[in-house]
Amino acid sequence: MELATGAVQTEDTVGLLKSAMPFQVVSSEMLEAIAWAARRVSYKAGEVIYQRGDRADDLFVVIRGRVEHVLGPGAGATNLLRILGPGEVFGWAALLKSQPYRLAKSTAVEDTECLAINGNALLRILESDPETGDVVMSRFATMITRDFTVPEWVAQLKPVGRRAAPQQLTGLALTMFRLAQWLKSPRPYLMAIGFALFLGFWYLAVEVWKLPRFEQMPGLTAVVKEWLSPDPVYGLSIYTPEYYQHIWVSCRRVGIAFFLATALGVPLGLFLGWSLKFKEYVFPVFEMLRPIPILAWVPLAILMFKGLETPVIFLTFLASFYATALNTMLGVQSIDESYFRAAYCLGASRWQAFRHIIIPGALPFIFTGLQISVGVAWFSLVAAEMVSGQFGLGYVINNSYTTVRYPTIIIGMVTLGAVGYVTSALVRIVGDHLMQWRVRELALGGQS
């Protein structure tokens, strides 16, 4: 047997691991760590890789060649013999909780090369992301019981350790733990570099180089001084109550419009995707109205609704409603028809199929649509406030332009972007919380 020296970290190795069923959900960073901990092992045709009763330290992934894997009677498997090819995993006894010895005899059928991974080293790597580690170990358990037909009472795997389990933390401690994990990742520093490049270009283009088309724009220095000034020249900064009043009014309008768009758009989308007859009546009208720009609705909104507040909310609602309903309908249409056939064969009613198949199956699309919807709501809000609003961030931007207060335009735009990002993030967090069942689905590799 020829053993490769040193750690193995190549694109081929990472690609091989990614194709192996237990590791398909693992991030690229973790796959690289596993590749570094692995080593390549070569065997001649007919050479025994390990015997039953040998100590189980490593698990193996076949790179090339074929391996004969024969389980002993004590394993309790239905099928004792398996021939393994490239990308398949064996030697999983290295991960069993109460069985440190081999349950099978493995022999190279032909010249074979494998990737050997120490079981304890793999567990230490999985500890860096316990949630992903749980998914990987669940996939190993599924592979052992399904592919190797070993009973569940044998396929008891070692637990993935928790260095500081977040589910045991609450309140401020949980928030600080997540913040610490975020700061340890490269994300905040890459984000800081991106902002630095953007702000640096703005400063150089406007204040240093004074490029054409940029020389009339407010510079970075002027905007920051105005925004942070206790006595702003143009009357709007973080120290003025009017600034927060505009933010509150805009957030309230978007909140009302987004709630109405969700309450009406999600049921409409579900029924459009569920009932073909309902879709034939409603969808042509829906598709005819959807491309009409928000500004084209302004005269009708003013005629239909009294006052200044209701037309703004209506205009904000429209685009958000279309995005929510359309994504929900696409979510229903993406569900595999075999689920419905299976449910009806088992005696399910149409209402039960709607409740237990359509709604959960469409949820990923619904929350994607809601993230788009809240962003579109902010777009529509700015247009509505520019036309008929007296308060709000859109009004600030438009009024600042007409009164030649250019730094205030940038203050309104940046504030709008920050508040819009926060609202979209909140929708994403709620969606991730409500769809934790998808992690269990991934753990089974799409197998029911």
Side-chain angles (χ1 to χ4, degrees), residues 207-230:
E207 301 186 35
V208 178
W209 298 330
K210 297 182 180 179
L211 298 176
R213 305 291 182 182
F214 286 89
E215 56 186 7
Q216 299 299 324
M217 286 183 57
L220 176 62
T221 305
V223 172
V224 172
K225 284 182 178 179
E226 180 74 7
W227 200 3
L228 304 180
S229 174

Side-chain angles (χ1 to χ4, degrees), residues 381-448:
L381 174 76
V382 173
E385 288 179 340
M386 284 182 173
V387 174
S388 59
Q390 290 186 337
F391 294 97
L393 296 172
Y395 170 79
V396 167
I397 296 170
N398 186 55
N399 188 56
S400 299
Y401 174 73
T402 57
T403 56
V404 198
R405 296 184 298 169
Y406 294 150
T408 311
I409 296 177
I410 305 298
I411 292 174
M413 291 173 63
V414 173
T415 304
L416 186 68
V419 176
Y421 175 82
V422 170
T423 54
S424 182
L426 289 174
V427 173
R428 184 165 56 251
I429 290 170
V430 172
D432 291 343
H433 177 72
L434 293 178
M435 292 191 295
Q436 291 180 359
W437 53 270
R438 296 191 73 198
V439 174
R440 294 193 295 272
E441 180 184 351
L442 288 172
L444 295 175
Q447 303 293 327
S448 56

Side-chain angles (χ1 to χ4, degrees), residues 109-393:
V109 177
E110 56 194 51
D111 288 353
T112 301
E113 186 177 13
C114 297
L115 201 65
I117 309 169
N118 182 267
N120 291 328
L122 176 63
L123 286 172
R124 286 194 296 271
I125 294 171
L126 296 179
E127 286 176 6
S128 63
D129 186 352
E131 291 185 1
T132 301
D134 288 340
V135 175
V136 172
M137 297 304 280
S138 297
R139 285 179 161 232
F140 266 111
T142 302
M143 178 194 72
I144 294 169
T145 55
R146 184 192 64 192
D147 298 341
F148 290 87
T149 66
V150 172
E152 292 184 2
W153 62 269
V154 175
Q156 298 298 312
L157 300 174
K158 297 175 182 177
V160 177
R162 258 62 174 171
R163 296 176 182 176
Q167 65 270 26
Q168 298 175 355
L169 305 176
T170 57
L172 180 61
L174 179 59
T175 302
M176 296 306 295
F177 173 82
R178 288 174 174 170
L179 178 61
Q181 293 296 105
W182 183 68
L183 291 174
K184 290 178 182 178
S185 71
R187 292 175 57 193
Y189 310 104
L190 295 175
M191 181 180 68
I193 293 173
F195 275 110
L197 292 173
F198 172 76
L199 295 175
F201 175 77
W202 178 14
Y203 174 77
L204 293 172
V206 177
E207 301 186 35
V208 178
W209 298 330
K210 297 182 180 179
L211 298 176
R213 305 291 182 182
F214 286 89
E215 56 186 7
Q216 299 299 324
M217 286 183 57
L220 176 62
T221 305
V223 172
V224 172
K225 284 182 178 179
E226 180 74 7
W227 200 3
L228 304 180
S229 174
D231 186 22
V233 175
Y234 301 106
L236 195 70
S237 74
I238 61 173
Y239 292 97
T240 59
E242 184 183 1
Y243 177 64
Y244 299 99
Q245 182 182 10
H246 288 302
I247 295 175
W248 161 244
V249 170
S250 290
C251 287
R252 187 188 69 215
R253 289 168 175 168
V254 167
I256 295 172
F258 179 72
F259 173 79
L260 292 174
T262 303
L264 299 176
V266 170
L268 176 65
L270 291 173
F271 283 108
L272 283 172
W274 183 42
S275 172
L276 182 60
K277 184 175 292 187
F278 182 80
K279 182 180 179 182
E280 290 174 350
Y281 283 119
V282 177
F283 193 65
V285 179
F286 179 89
E287 278 295 277
M288 183 186 68
L289 296 176
R290 188 169 64 90
I292 299 176
I294 297 301
L295 291 178
W297 286 92
V298 171
L300 287 179
I302 295 173
L303 291 174
M304 288 189 296
F305 301 101
K306 295 181 180 180
L308 295 174
E309 190 71 10
T310 311
V312 175
I313 294 176
F314 171 73
L315 294 170
T316 306
F317 155 82
L318 273 179
S320 182
F321 167 75
Y322 293 137
T324 302
L326 186 61
N327 275 273
T328 303
M329 182 191 74
L330 295 175
V332 176
Q333 293 176 343
S334 71
I335 301 173
D336 193 337
E337 185 66 28
S338 61
Y339 289 108
F340 297 100
R341 290 197 294 266
Y344 293 142
C345 287
L346 293 173
S349 64
R350 281 179 61 82
W351 165 246
Q352 289 173 322
F354 181 82
R355 180 183 175 187
H356 297 290
I357 298 177
I358 289 179
I359 294 178
L363 271 181
F365 278 80
I366 290 174
F367 278 100
T368 299
L370 292 181
Q371 289 184 55
I372 298 172
S373 171
V374 74
V376 171
W378 282 105
F379 300 155
S380 306
L381 174 76
V382 173
E385 288 179 340
M386 284 182 173
V387 174
S388 59
Q390 290 186 337
F391 294 97
L393 296 172

